[in-house]
Amino acid sequence: MSIKAFTDYLLLERNYSNLTVKAYMNDISSFQSFLAKEFENSQLSLVNYPQIRSWIVQLVESKISNRSINRKISALNSYYKFLLKIGDIDKNPLAKHKALKTSKKVQVPFSEAEINIVLDELKYDDDFEGLRNKLIIELFYSTGIRRIELVNLKLSDINNKTLKVLGKRSKERYVPLLQSVTQTLEDYLQKRKELKDIKDNEALFLTKKGVKIYETLVYRIINDYFSQASNKVKKSPHILRHSFATHLLNQGADLNAVKELLGHSSLAATQVYTHNSIAELKKVYSNAHPRSKK
């Protein structure tokens, strides 16, 4: 019963997405299976920290990354916090647990030159898929939205050159659209109307079969186009979001404004993007200061 109550809590009170809740349940189920096999007990409410520690050791020995292990333990910790909240347990076995150390991933944004090649020099077919792909790239770079946010966009989210975005935990934000983007949008919407069989009428982005676009296709679109302009190892929607934030900060945009555009709940999350803008400032400073070459 507590698992069902926890699921409802995540969905209804915390506004977590179905995918996130499914990931939480998979991690908790994985731990339950470990308990049943190693300790002949699958009652999560009776667990102690040494048992959890044994699971962590097994995960490490299985060559699972520390980042993935931390995610699994975080899901388990959320569950125990919930049990504590509803009074099913009187102590969280993970209360004093410290996350495993992880190396910081350096996200290298696309350069402005690479963005310009993709948007201004590559050829886009003047058909439904060509215009859709160009609009997807323009929206990522001009609004900084997340991939799942783009996938879930509805026709009704566009109003008076403004985009309504439903972010994490169902938090809404409004992002202005550039004139160049609205023109591509108009062209795409015209081609969208010409599709013979539209099955998902509300969705903004569709496949050529008329169904709502999906995340792996969006990733493939970004990777295919940017592979023609960039040698960077990672070419994904998230890198475009990263590029959006970095380029705005490089041009002197206010950090709080960028935070709101990205839909971050805290400034700390946005500050991840400042290291590139600081590097840019150092370069400008070094080139401009009268004593920099003395």
Side-chain angles (χ1 to χ4, degrees):
M1 286 297 293
S2 61
I3 290 288
K4 175 65 167 62
F6 180 56
T7 302
D8 291 342
Y9 166 73
L10 294 178
L11 287 169
L12 304 175
E13 291 192 39
R14 299 301 301 273
N15 290 321
Y16 283 8
S17 70
N18 288 323
L19 283 174
T20 299
V21 173
K22 185 179 179 181
Y24 271 50
M25 293 304 105
N26 286 341
D27 291 334
I28 292 170
S29 177
S30 175
F31 179 57
Q32 273 188 304
S33 297
F34 169 80
L35 286 176
K37 182 179 179 181
E38 298 296 326
F39 298 98
E40 297 182 353
N41 169 42
S42 59
Q43 292 189 53
L44 294 170
S45 60
L46 302 178
V47 165
N48 56 44
Y49 183 68
Q51 291 173 319
I52 298 175
R53 186 69 186 172
S54 296
W55 186 45
I56 294 172
V57 170
Q58 185 192 76
L59 293 173
V60 170
E61 290 175 347
S62 300
K63 305 298 182 183
I64 294 175
S65 70
N66 284 5
R67 193 176 300 275
S68 294
I69 294 173
N70 285 342
R71 192 206 71 231
K72 292 176 182 293
I73 300 303
S74 176
L76 197 59
N77 191 33
S78 294
Y79 178 64
Y80 282 121
K81 284 182 178 179
F82 172 73
L83 292 184
L84 198 61
K85 182 178 181 180
I86 64 175
D88 275 13
I89 58 174
D90 54 20
K91 184 180 179 182
N92 181 354
L94 281 163
K96 295 184 179 180
H97 173 74
K98 291 185 178 180
L100 302 181
K101 290 185 177 180
T102 58
S103 56
K104 290 186 178 180
K105 286 186 176 180
V106 179
Q107 301 282 5
V108 181
F110 297 119
S111 67
E112 291 184 38
E114 288 169 333
I115 298 284
N116 290 337
I117 289 172
V118 171
L119 289 178
D120 299 332
E121 297 181 24
L122 296 186
K123 183 180 182 298
Y124 295 84
D125 293 332
D126 191 28
D127 57 10
F128 170 77
E129 286 190 316
L131 286 167
R132 180 200 64 192
N133 295 350
K134 186 176 184 183
L135 179 59
I136 284 173
I137 295 170
E138 288 186 348
L139 272 182
F140 273 132
Y141 183 58
S142 64
T143 67
I145 59 176
R146 301 175 177 93
R147 176 168 48 168
I148 188 62
E149 292 171 344
L150 180 134
V151 166
N152 288 332
L153 285 176
K154 300 176 181 177
L155 287 171
S156 58
D157 291 330
I158 305 161
N159 183 37
N160 195 25
K161 297 183 180 180
T162 303
L163 190 68
K164 182 175 77 174
V165 181
L166 189 63
K168 289 184 176 180
R169 301 181 187 177
S170 299
K171 183 181 177 183
E172 288 183 356
R173 68 184 187 277
Y174 292 86
V175 183
L177 295 176
L178 299 176
Q179 181 62 43
S180 58
V181 178
T182 58
Q183 183 58 59
T184 306
L185 175 61
E186 289 175 13
D187 295 340
Y188 164 73
L189 290 177
Q190 184 56 47
K191 292 293 183 182
R192 185 186 181 282
K193 289 178 183 177
E194 295 171 8
L195 286 178
K196 292 181 180 179
D197 185 20
I198 297 179
K199 298 178 179 65
D200 292 297
N201 288 298
E202 292 186 355
L204 173 62
F205 287 109
L206 304 173
T207 69
K208 62 183 178 181
K209 293 182 179 179
V211 298
K212 180 179 172 182
I213 203 168
Y214 48 96
E215 289 193 64
T216 51
L217 176 56
V218 173
Y219 178 88
R220 193 158 66 241
I221 289 167
I222 300 304
N223 188 68
D224 287 349
Y225 281 93
F226 277 89
S227 291
Q228 302 176 60
S230 175
N231 291 320
K232 289 182 173 61
V233 175
K234 192 169 183 181
K235 296 174 277 289
S236 69
H238 183 71
I239 297 300
L240 258 181
R241 175 174 162 86
H242 189 57
S243 305
F244 163 81
T246 301
H247 295 172
L248 279 179
L249 290 168
N250 283 349
Q251 296 297 324
D254 177 72
L255 190 62
N256 275 300
V258 176
K259 166 184 169 290
E260 293 302 316
L261 289 169
L262 291 171
H264 284 158
S265 57
S266 70
L267 201 59
T270 314
Q271 287 173 331
V272 170
Y273 301 106
T274 61
H275 73 277
N276 289 299
S277 56
I278 289 172
E280 184 70 17
L281 282 173
K282 284 180 178 178
K283 185 169 71 175
V284 171
Y285 176 80
S286 178
N287 290 335
H289 197 282
R291 296 188 63 83
S292 64
K293 296 180 175 59
K294 290 186 179 181

